[in-house]
């Protein structure tokens, strides 16, 4: 091994860089968890709980990354780092099953749109979470037995494919219900569908970015042997490892800084509370009334509520029946 390939100054720079970006990231994710909890009644409890668990997992992973970087500044051989790594691995592996559970929940909410709002099948939800924990246990079993480099990567790719399939299904189901809800469904179904679309607007972009990060790091492990934490043995034996690790670490941290902001912007209840605070210092400008402001567009950009003519037509149908 060539120690000069991985000098101490490089390790120090990586730790400082990680601390500088991870500290505000931890604060942002914790604040997002608090905001989602405050606005927990905006969506169905299953969706809210799944989303809070997902955001909390990201917050815990970032806390572990922050603690590890701080410990490495003082003692790279500390036993505390091993415990932090184990906690990080468990929570990180839970993220993908949590995403799958959330997507399946939204799929059920879209399919059973007329009755899902009042359904509370907690037993089924707990079973789903138990299966997710089982997947995490299986992946950690592979890690402890030295089989992570082969089978576990296939599991991660399989989960990523499952997530993509769920997204495609949601896309077509949502489009089908959108086109068939106008002039046909009762108002309660149409507005319940609108609530489902609001949830998808909040969840799907976060899932897409999360899925891209998962695939990116699986590929980085296969192609460049770059994991989430630096491997000193690989660093001292592969000349290009330092550049690759710094690049992927920067992509991970900067992308995660963007993800909470994306959730806040897409979450209608949180954004409606924050937006007036952001515009308070702006000069008042008289604006004309835009009829498009009363529209609720789905992920396809189609108005799901419909025009005023649609409303009164549907109301007339209800009175005649």
């Amino acid at each position: 091994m060539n120690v000069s390939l991985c000098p101490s100054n490089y390790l120090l720079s990586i730790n400082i860089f990680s601390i500088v970006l991870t500290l505000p990231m931890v604060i942002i994710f914790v604040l997002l968890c608090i905001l989602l909890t405050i606005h927990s009644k905006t969506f169905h409890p299953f969706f809210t709980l799944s989303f809070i668990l997902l955001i909390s997992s990201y917050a815990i992973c970032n806390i572990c990354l922050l603690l590890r970087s701080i410990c490495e500044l003082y003692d790279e051989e500390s036993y505390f780092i091993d415990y932090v790594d184990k906690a990080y691995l468990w929570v990180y592996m839970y993220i993908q099953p949590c995403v799958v559970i959330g997507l399946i929940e939204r799929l059920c909410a879209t399919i059973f749109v007329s009755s899902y709002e009042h359904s509370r099948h907690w037993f089924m939800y707990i079973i789903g979470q138990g299966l997710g924990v089982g997947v995490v246990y299986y992946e950690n079993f592979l890690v402890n037995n030295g089989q992570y480099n082969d089978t576990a990567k296939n599991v991660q790719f399989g989960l990523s494919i499952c997530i993509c399939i769920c997204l495609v299904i949601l896309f077509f189901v949502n489009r089908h219900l959108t086109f068939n809800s106008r002039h046909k469904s009762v108002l309660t179904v149409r507005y319940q569908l609108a609530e489902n679309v609001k949830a998808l607007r909040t969840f799907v972009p976060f899932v897409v970015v999360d899925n891209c990060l998962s695939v990116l790091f699986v590929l980085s492990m296969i192609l460049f042997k770059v994991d989430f934490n630096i491997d000193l043995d690989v660093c001292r034996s592969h000349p290009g490892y330092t550049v690759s690790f710094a690049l992927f670490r920067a992509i991970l941290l900067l992308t995660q800084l963007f993800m909470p902001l994306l959730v806040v912007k897409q979450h209608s209840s949180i954004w409606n509370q924050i937006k007036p605070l952001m515009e308070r210092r702006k000069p008042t400008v008289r604006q004309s009334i835009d009829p498009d402001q009363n529209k609720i567009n789905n992920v396809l950009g189609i108005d799901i509520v419909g025009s005023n003519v649609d409303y009164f037509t549907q109301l007339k149908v209800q009175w005649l029946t």
Side-chain angles (χ1 to χ4, degrees):
M1 294 183 183
N2 190 354
V3 180
S4 61
L5 293 177
C6 194
S8 58
N9 291 335
Y10 171 81
L11 299 176
L12 179 62
S13 300
I14 288 295
N15 286 332
I16 295 176
F17 174 74
S18 300
I19 293 173
V20 169
L21 288 184
T22 306
L23 182 58
M25 191 186 311
V26 169
I27 298 174
I28 292 175
F29 272 97
V30 171
L31 289 176
L32 181 58
C33 289
I34 295 174
L35 286 174
L36 290 174
T37 303
I38 294 174
H39 296 267
S40 59
K41 295 183 179 180
T42 303
F43 301 114
H44 194 278
F46 291 166
F47 172 78
T48 301
L49 180 57
S50 299
F51 205 14
I52 291 177
L53 288 174
L54 178 61
I55 301 300
S56 300
S57 299
Y58 262 90
I60 294 173
C61 284
N62 289 318
I63 291 174
C64 292
L65 182 61
L66 178 62
L67 292 176
R68 193 183 202 282
S69 299
I70 294 175
C71 289
E72 287 179 342
L73 290 176
Y74 300 97
D75 185 10
E76 296 181 359
E77 305 297 330
S78 174
Y79 289 104
F80 182 72
I81 294 179
D82 294 333
Y83 293 106
V84 171
D85 288 343
K86 290 180 180 179
Y88 178 92
L89 186 62
W90 270 87
V91 177
Y92 169 75
M93 288 183 173
Y94 171 73
I95 289 178
Q96 277 194 329
C98 186
V99 170
V100 173
I101 293 171
L103 285 175
I104 294 175
E105 186 274 337
R106 280 297 92 193
L107 180 61
C108 294
T110 305
I111 295 175
F112 307 106
V113 63
S114 60
S115 60
Y116 187 79
E117 179 62 24
H118 301 288
S119 63
R120 300 291 187 272
H121 301 293
W122 286 104
F123 180 72
M124 297 299 298
Y125 183 81
I126 293 174
I127 290 178
Q129 290 290 344
L131 292 174
V133 174
V135 172
V136 176
Y137 177 82
Y138 174 69
E139 288 188 316
N140 276 271
F141 174 79
L142 296 177
V143 172
N144 295 331
N145 287 273
Q147 301 175 7
Y148 184 75
N149 291 333
D150 297 320
T151 309
K153 291 176 183 178
N154 296 331
V155 172
Q156 282 194 327
F157 267 118
L159 284 173
S160 298
I161 294 173
C162 181
I163 291 171
C164 292
I165 292 175
C166 289
L167 284 173
V168 172
I169 293 175
L170 277 177
F171 176 84
F172 286 106
V173 170
N174 180 60
R175 186 176 66 174
H176 174 76
L177 291 177
T178 299
F179 281 112
N180 285 275
S181 65
R182 299 169 65 93
H183 304 289
K184 296 180 181 180
S185 302
V186 297
L187 290 175
T188 55
V189 173
R190 291 170 58 198
Y191 280 99
Q192 180 55 50
L193 183 59
E195 289 299 315
N196 291 343
V197 173
K198 289 179 183 179
L200 287 175
R201 282 178 176 173
T202 307
F203 193 57
V204 171
F206 190 91
V207 170
V208 170
V209 177
D210 171 79
N211 195 45
C212 290
L213 283 177
S214 299
V215 173
L216 176 65
F217 273 88
V218 170
L219 292 176
S220 71
M221 292 173 61
I222 296 175
L223 300 177
F224 305 102
K225 297 184 179 181
V226 174
D227 203 347
F228 298 100
N229 299 318
I230 192 168
D231 189 331
L232 294 179
D233 294 333
V234 179
C235 183
R236 292 166 181 170
S237 59
H238 289 72
Y241 181 85
T242 54
V243 177
S244 301
F245 182 83
L247 177 62
F248 283 104
R249 175 61 66 89
I251 293 174
L252 172 66
L253 297 179
L254 293 176
T255 304
Q256 288 191 40
L257 276 174
F258 165 76
M259 291 169 69
L261 303 179
L262 182 63
V263 173
V264 171
K265 182 63 174 66
Q266 298 297 327
H267 195 292
S268 58
S269 179
I270 297 177
W271 181 245
N272 290 336
Q273 185 179 8
I274 295 179
K275 186 177 180 181
L277 300 177
M278 299 176 60
E279 297 180 345
R280 183 170 297 177
R281 296 184 179 181
K282 294 182 179 180
T284 304
V285 180
R286 186 176 181 181
Q287 297 179 348
S288 59
I289 299 177
D290 186 1
D292 292 337
Q293 292 180 351
N294 295 325
K295 294 182 177 181
I296 300 178
N297 295 326
N298 66 356
V299 289
L300 304 176
I302 301 173
D303 179 20
I304 194 173
V305 177
S307 62
N308 293 331
V309 177
D310 297 333
Y311 175 84
F312 288 111
T313 301
Q314 186 68 39
L315 194 62
K316 183 178 179 181
V317 172
Q318 284 190 335
W319 275 104
L320 292 176
T321 56

